[in-house]
Amino acid sequence: MGTLSALLSGLSALLLAEAVSAVAAGSSKFLPYAVGAGLAKYCATVVLSRILLRVGNLERNRSRERLFPLLSEGLRSRGQVGDLLTSADQSGLVATVQSSYASLRLAPLSLLVVFLAGGWLSAGIAATLIAVSIPLYIRAGQNAEKFGDEYETALADLELRELQVLEAGQELRGLGAGSFACDEVAALSEREHSSAMKALRAALHSSLITEFLSGVGIGLVAMVAGFALLGMRTTLLRGLIAVLFTNELFASVQRFGSEFHQSQESEQALKTFSTKRESLKSEVSLPRAIGLVASKGKTPVDLNLRTGSRLLITGPSGSGKSSLLEALLGLRNPLEGTVESGSSAIAYVTPRERLYSGTLRENLDPSGQHGDLTLSEALASVGLPAGRFGSLDARLGPNGEGLSSGELVRFLLARGIVAQASLFVLDDISGLLDPASRKTVEKYFNSNPHLCVVEAAIDSPLLSATSTIKVTP
Amino acid sequence: MNIRQRLFKWLRLGRPPLSLVLFAILRSVISNVAAVGLFIAATALLVVSSQNVTLQSIAVFLIVIELVAFIRSPLRFLDRLSAHQLGFAAVQQWRRVVTSWITSWDSSQATKLGHGEILDRALRDTEELQNLWLRTILPGLNALLLLAFSSVILYFIPGGTGPSVLLYLAIVGAGAFVVALATRSLGVAEATVREARGNLRAVATEASRVAASLRLLKSKKVVEDRLAGAVAWLHVVERRREREARIQRLALLLASFGALIVTASHFTPYSLWQTVSVLIGFSAFDLLRQWDAALAGAIALDAAMSRLEELEPVGSEVSGPFPSDAGMYVHDYLVQGIPTTFAIPLGSKVAITGPSGSGKSTLLRAIAGMGVSPSGYITIGGVPISSINNAALREFVTYVPTESNYITGYLGDIVELGRDITRDYVADLKSLGLKWKPDFNLVNPSRGERARLAVVRAMATSPAIIILDEPTSGLGESDTKALLSLLDNCDATVIFATHDPLVVSWCDTAIRL
């Protein structure tokens, strides 16, 4: 595609040269040449870029279809989700980038034309200037990349803060601290922009070099051709061709240069989406941990869960109970030790978990396999009266909001029951339950002794444990 | 609101310094004229050379061309830098405005959009607004100036006549007009694409929060389907937008060829000027492309701007002062269907209890003046809370939701939050077992730490009324006791939503919903 585009621009240059020399000769034949030149330029820019766009779109669509497996790999911050989506978009640029490679490969051909039309001096000037521009260009590109990383960090900081402002919007308002948040966002935005300016400056430096050299190149070749014309050593047509192809030559280098940074990004993006993650077939049904250390300075823990175990993890606030649970579930990388993930379904119940917008049914049965009876039974067994929600088709708010924290944890329990989870991991939920629902939940687990339950609690656990792990801060 | 009005509105909202604007425009015009001039002059030089004119005139030509060639790229460099600078200055201003909107929402507005969606708007849409300068106003202005510049040259070159210049202007103008018309329908398509993009981002953000636990649960079909649906919708609307761009490409093609034919048939006895004339006709293509790009930019921005406008807080600001008597009444509030009026005297400690879902949080938000009460009304010092100015209200009433956020960073910053602090919060934290100094950097505090920090932060300005939604749910018994004894030490009215029996027994009054 790039080859075709380069050939078409070459053709356009040739026809333009013909047209101009016809005008100069006072001939009226220039019009078809000029129109031809215009047509070729149109094809080279508009039509081909559209085709490239289409090819790119196919690639981008393929990447987007692989979003879910990537999203479910672990706890992802929203900034990372944004990056993933941007990567998906970027993977569509691969076609454009490849075409600029192809047009660069045709550069020697342009040089040959310059040589044939303008003689060795013109070709020499063009070749020397390109040879000079390449190392300069590469260095400038490296600088731009360095600043690019700095920019990414600044952007991530800004995203994180803005997200915190969003999540805490009501709290900030409740504390009368809105203007503080505005100042913080503005300051982080300024930092993002100043590093963006640095990266831009570096990137523009690199294009400055090629543009400057191309300007000089065209000027010099025109000069050589001009003197040759004066000395009657060449024809106007040949001179024009030499000048216009010098322009083409530099244009292809420039195009490649401007796509170069994108090329790395888009290739990286493509890699993100094309690597197949191998899902290890698990030998055990429940997760197992040996010598697990989830946060700094803790003693290694062995966790060997069995059907019917009731494990209590206890310790004061901030002692690392949640981290231990997350490591056990493979949601964070342990500092030490190994974790073997189990093959059976696990219900992870934490007040930090969110539901997604949509109906209660979709949230309660994300596999979409179970009937209403099963769902209502599951809700009833954790003491969520059917009347509270009206029907299972009641819709939750945009962030899955609409349930109080106490209801949320019980809803998550019910979701686990529906999915026939054989392990329930409860992260400090007892404080969120009112006495009546606490009893109901206790009753459910007591009447299902085969379930394995891991509970983290500060001092008033929900269940009577068969074994206990104490975590100290 | 049409595109033009909207453009002006946002230009006003994010007004960069005038000097920056003038500088950017000047640089952009100069660099564009230089770029076109170089191409025309270099070609003209060759034509002149073939006409056997004197060596002297050729030398002058050469020097001029080389000069233009030398300065062209630095000019472009400066042009782009100042355009970006201008854009960034505006973006920063816009982000400040949008953040101030977000932090003055009512509770009902806060739950209207997903966080992923708002984040997308607050950051990416504002970032895109820098194109208002970069890709719309500056290139549009350039295209117009280039058109004027070309027309003037066409008119003054030997043989140039008024009618032929008018014809050139008419053709290019008609092309520009058709492009502008077609841009409208493209605008609709573009808006849909943005909507679909935002939707995908929102769905993906939501999915990312639930994906890990659904993977553990081994049941993910609904979310997977939803993600696939969002992707499919985006694909469809992206394809539609591409189709819409066809008319524009056709208008572009026809108008640039028309311009070329007019300028080419602009016969003059001097072949040099004839050449210049043809080349000007040839550059109409680039001119129209620039115009097209500027309009496309405006369209993309219109969608971004209207999406941002949805974030504007609804309702108008009231100006009533905070009354001197901070005694509070809740009138005719429906408790289990019965209208009930109760007083919350100054300095009292009140627990609001009731089963999950009975509306404790809703009542608390209404009492805090952050949401509409579902029934009855609330007064402070005899004045309805809805008539008190928000800034004044926030000075005297603080509110903390169940899950406290905005707690990473230096302790000093996140407790003070730019407010006038009247309590020793380090001592308060210490009494709750958190021995932190103001320069302590909080990275990932646990739930219990968050809960305690949130209460200390709400007390730090010594407000008259402190409203806390389940502040002890992440705390053990001893931490809860410490928290209550800290609250004992302040004379503020404290209103809790809770079902912790320890808290309820500590309070003066308990209201059961």
Side-chain angles (χ1 to χ4, degrees):
Chain A
M1 204 63 72
T3 318
L4 194 57
S5 162
L7 287 177
L8 278 172
S9 343
L11 181 65
S12 163
L14 263 181
L15 290 171
L16 187 64
E18 286 279 5
V20 174
S21 63
V23 173
S27 151
S28 60
K29 274 195 307 190
F30 69 88
L31 202 57
Y33 285 124
V35 172
L39 212 56
K41 190 171 181 190
Y42 181 80
C43 287
T45 51
V46 180
V47 178
L48 281 177
S49 73
R50 266 187 57 69
I51 297 175
L52 282 178
L53 195 72
R54 284 215 181 149
V55 176
N57 285 354
L58 288 178
E59 194 54 61
R60 192 188 55 205
N61 295 353
R62 263 201 294 276
S63 299
R64 282 185 189 150
E65 268 148 26
R66 282 192 39 79
L67 273 173
F68 187 83
L70 286 171
L71 286 176
S72 66
E73 266 168 20
L75 299 171
R76 273 177 189 274
S77 73
R78 241 152 294 190
Q80 286 170 313
V81 177
D83 289 347
L84 210 57
L85 290 176
T86 316
S87 288
D89 287 347
Q90 274 168 349
S91 65
L93 292 174
V94 169
T96 320
V97 171
Q98 279 166 352
S99 100
S100 76
Y101 271 108
S103 83
L104 187 70
R105 274 198 290 275
L106 279 190
L109 204 62
S110 301
L111 197 60
L112 185 67
V113 175
V114 175
F115 171 68
L116 290 177
W120 61 268
L121 190 55
S122 301
I125 289 169
T128 313
L129 287 177
I130 287 207
V132 170
S133 73
I134 287 173
L136 288 175
Y137 192 80
I138 289 175
R139 218 184 56 197
Q142 282 164 346
N143 277 339
E145 242 161 77
K146 199 175 71 200
F147 291 125
D149 290 345
E150 190 185 315
Y151 168 73
E152 292 290 325
T153 321
L155 180 65
D157 286 349
L158 173 68
E159 283 209 359
L160 189 67
R161 212 43 160 176
E162 181 77 50
L163 181 66
Q164 287 175 341
V165 170
L166 269 181
E167 287 184 331
Q170 288 292 291
E171 188 178 2
L172 287 170
R173 182 175 176 222
L175 294 171
S179 65
F180 176 76
C182 294
D183 289 345
E184 268 214 302
V185 166
L188 282 169
S189 181
E190 191 178 355
R191 219 180 74 201
E192 181 218 344
H193 287 153
S194 80
S195 58
M197 276 308 278
K198 272 192 224 161
L200 265 174
R201 216 181 278 268
L204 288 178
H205 261 299
S206 59
S207 69
L208 176 70
I209 292 164
T210 44
E211 276 189 26
F212 182 69
L213 291 174
S214 89
V216 173
I218 296 169
L220 284 177
V221 170
M223 197 167 79
V224 170
F227 280 115
L229 272 174
L230 268 183
M232 307 288 250
R233 288 190 304 275
T234 187
T235 62
L236 177 61
L237 180 64
R238 291 174 72 120
L240 280 170
I241 290 177
V243 172
L244 292 173
F245 271 84
T246 312
N247 188 30
E248 282 301 311
L249 185 61
F250 280 103
S252 66
V253 174
Q254 239 168 339
R255 243 194 323 269
F256 173 72
S258 65
E259 309 281 0
F260 181 71
H261 304 293
Q262 284 186 335
S263 80
Q264 293 186 328
E265 274 169 18
S266 60
E267 273 163 18
Q268 184 58 43
L270 208 59
K271 223 178 277 166
T272 315
F273 283 97
S274 58
T275 28
K276 293 264 183 297
R277 259 98 183 147
E278 283 174 35
S279 56
L280 292 169
K281 222 165 156 69
S282 197
E283 300 280 313
V284 288
S285 77
L286 293 170
R288 200 158 59 181
I290 299 158
L292 177 64
V293 179
S295 39
K296 246 191 250 169
K298 305 278 180 247
T299 38
V301 176
D302 288 345
L303 292 169
N304 198 358
L305 301 173
R306 287 204 184 81
T307 309
S309 349
R310 300 288 148 101
L311 171 65
L312 174 68
I313 298 174
T314 174
S317 158
S319 57
K321 300 184 294 296
S322 302
S323 310
L324 187 62
L325 292 183
E326 284 170 8
L328 175 69
L329 295 175
L331 299 176
R332 72 156 70 208
N333 290 329
L335 296 178
E336 280 172 42
T338 52
V339 175
E340 208 173 332
S341 61
S343 60
S344 54
I346 302 169
Y348 178 38
V349 181
T350 157
R352 274 177 307 208
E353 174 81 7
R354 302 271 176 97
L355 299 176
Y356 46 95
S357 57
T359 61
L360 285 171
R361 188 197 308 280
E362 286 170 322
N363 273 291
L364 194 54
D365 178 19
S367 64
Q369 287 173 338
H370 300 279
D372 278 14
L373 201 62
T374 319
L375 304 188
S376 320
E377 264 176 21
L379 283 177
S381 61
V382 293
L384 282 176
R388 157 76 175 95
F389 302 115
S391 90
L392 285 168
D393 292 316
R395 296 195 77 83
L396 292 165
N399 294 309
E401 280 155 10
L403 299 187
S404 69
S405 338
E407 287 172 329
L408 173 72
V409 291
R410 280 184 287 153
F411 190 86
L412 293 174
L413 284 170
R415 185 172 84 176
I417 295 170
V418 171
Q420 290 159 354
S422 38
L423 168 61
F424 282 77
V425 176
L426 317 179
D427 188 3
D428 202 4
I429 62 167
S430 64
L432 292 166
L433 301 177
D434 53 56
S437 43
R438 201 184 149 103
K439 270 201 196 95
T440 323
V441 173
E442 275 172 41
K443 204 176 109 199
Y444 176 79
F445 283 113
N446 289 340
S447 55
N448 287 283
H450 63 282
L451 293 176
C452 174
V453 184
V454 177
E455 184 185 5
I458 299 176
D459 48 17
S460 55
L462 209 55
L463 305 171
S464 46
T466 52
S467 55
T468 305
I469 294 175
K470 277 211 170 81
V471 207
T472 44
Chain B
M1 198 184 274
N2 65 28
I3 288 194
R4 203 158 31 84
Q5 288 167 324
R6 196 167 270 145
L7 281 178
F8 281 120
K9 173 180 172 182
W10 283 88
L11 280 176
R12 265 199 311 278
L13 277 178
R15 201 182 310 149
L18 188 66
S19 58
L20 216 55
V21 176
L22 291 178
F23 218 40
I25 292 177
L26 191 70
R27 282 172 165 184
S28 152
V29 169
I30 293 177
S31 100
N32 265 284
V33 169
V36 177
L38 175 71
F39 178 60
I40 293 180
T43 322
L45 167 76
L46 293 184
V47 176
V48 174
S49 317
S50 69
Q51 308 289 313
N52 290 324
V53 279
T54 61
L55 198 60
Q56 198 187 359
S57 65
I58 297 245
V60 171
F61 244 112
L62 278 177
I63 291 167
V64 170
I65 288 174
E66 285 303 312
L67 269 180
V68 177
F70 266 81
I71 59 169
R72 184 183 72 153
S73 30
L75 280 176
R76 275 266 286 271
F77 177 73
L78 290 177
D79 157 37
R80 284 193 227 165
L81 270 191
S82 53
H84 277 291
Q85 229 155 17
L86 184 62
F88 285 152
V91 170
Q92 196 184 325
Q93 194 55 36
W94 285 317
R95 283 188 179 153
R96 188 189 281 274
V97 169
V98 170
T99 309
S100 79
W101 288 349
I102 291 172
T103 49
S104 48
W105 281 346
D106 236 356
S107 58
S108 61
Q109 202 178 357
T111 52
K112 222 184 271 169
L113 288 167
H115 285 156
E117 173 86 30
I118 306 171
L119 187 69
D120 192 37
R121 296 185 188 194
L123 292 182
R124 296 197 196 246
D125 284 345
T126 48
E127 185 74 44
E128 202 170 318
L129 276 190
Q130 71 165 292
N131 289 344
L132 185 57
W133 286 104
L134 223 56
R135 302 238 154 91
T136 303
I137 294 184
L138 293 178
L141 219 56
N142 261 318
L144 291 176
L145 283 170
L146 215 56
L147 183 63
F149 179 64
S150 311
S151 312
V152 170
I153 294 184
L154 278 180
Y155 183 74
F156 282 107
I157 60 179
T161 58
S164 71
V165 174
L166 280 181
L167 189 61
Y168 168 78
L169 273 175
I171 289 178
V172 178
F177 183 69
V178 175
V179 167
L181 273 187
T183 307
R184 272 198 199 167
S185 62
L186 193 64
V188 179
E190 177 69 35
T192 336
V193 168
R194 290 201 61 81
E195 205 182 314
R197 255 172 196 284
N199 177 55
L200 174 62
R201 182 171 285 266
V203 170
T205 305
E206 230 178 22
S208 76
R209 281 191 306 218
V210 295
S213 57
L214 291 186
R215 180 175 53 95
L216 290 172
L217 204 58
K218 303 204 184 311
S219 79
K220 56 189 184 185
K221 187 175 168 293
V222 171
V223 178
E224 235 170 2
D225 285 354
R226 195 182 287 194
L227 206 55
V231 167
W233 183 35
L234 181 57
H235 291 177
V236 169
V237 295
E238 275 176 344
R239 232 172 293 147
R240 192 181 310 151
R241 179 185 57 181
E242 279 154 32
R243 276 201 300 275
E244 287 288 343
R246 266 185 211 158
I247 307 167
Q248 263 157 308
R249 281 193 301 273
L250 192 66
L252 208 72
L253 185 68
L254 291 178
S256 29
F257 279 122
L260 185 60
I261 290 168
V262 170
T263 52
S265 45
H266 187 115
F267 284 113
T268 80
Y270 307 100
S271 53
L272 166 64
W273 292 117
Q274 177 90 63
T275 313
V276 171
S277 165
V278 169
L279 290 176
I280 284 177
F282 211 67
S283 70
F285 177 69
D286 285 327
L287 187 154
L288 281 171
R289 285 238 299 178
Q290 208 171 24
W291 173 249
D292 178 34
L295 287 177
I299 287 299
L301 286 173
D302 184 55
M305 287 183 290
S306 59
R307 275 159 50 89
L308 278 173
E309 276 162 16
E310 284 169 29
L311 301 184
E312 264 184 285
V314 284
S316 50
E317 186 70 10
V318 287
S319 60
F322 193 83
S324 49
D325 160 27
M328 190 180 262
Y329 272 94
V330 177
H331 303 264
D332 301 330
Y333 193 79
L334 288 181
V335 177
Q336 289 160 10
I338 302 156
T340 315
T341 296
F342 48 90
I344 302 176
L346 189 64
S348 62
K349 319 288 179 205
V350 179
I352 294 171
T353 65
S356 308
S358 58
K360 297 190 292 290
S361 299
T362 315
L363 176 59
L364 279 198
R365 280 195 292 267
I367 289 176
M370 309 211 359
V372 180
S373 176
S375 58
Y377 61 100
I378 291 141
T379 55
I380 298 182
V383 182
I385 201 164
S386 57
S387 70
I388 302 172
N389 173 270
N390 187 53
L393 194 61
R394 297 279 71 90
E395 237 176 272
F396 295 93
V397 183
T398 55
Y399 160 81
V400 180
T402 328
E403 290 284 317
S404 180
N405 275 301
Y406 213 70
I407 23 197
T408 54
Y410 292 105
L411 180 73
D413 290 343
I414 56 174
V415 172
E416 290 171 22
L417 294 175
R419 305 168 299 164
D420 294 330
I421 301 299
T422 48
R423 280 182 72 92
D424 179 1
Y425 59 84
V426 175
D428 287 348
L429 283 170
K430 201 173 164 195
S431 74
L432 298 181
L434 299 172
K435 288 173 196 134
W436 292 339
K437 294 272 170 322
D439 61 354
F440 178 69
N441 191 8
L442 279 97
V443 181
N444 192 12
S446 74
R447 233 177 101 217
E449 288 166 344
R450 280 169 187 238
R452 282 174 279 172
L453 182 64
V455 173
V456 170
R457 178 157 74 178
M459 292 169 68
T461 53
S462 313
I465 301 168
I466 302 172
I467 298 168
L468 305 168
D469 197 349
E470 305 210 31
T472 60
S473 71
L475 299 178
E477 197 182 316
S478 62
D479 289 334
T480 303
K481 279 182 181 154
L483 187 77
L484 293 177
S485 79
L486 175 66
L487 287 169
D488 251 340
N489 283 336
C490 75
D491 11 298
T493 310
V494 184
I495 305 166
F496 296 93
T498 185
H499 30 231
D500 188 337
L502 205 60
V503 178
V504 177
S505 64
W506 173 82
C507 284
D508 309 326
T509 335
I511 296 157
R512 191 175 161 80
L513 297 186

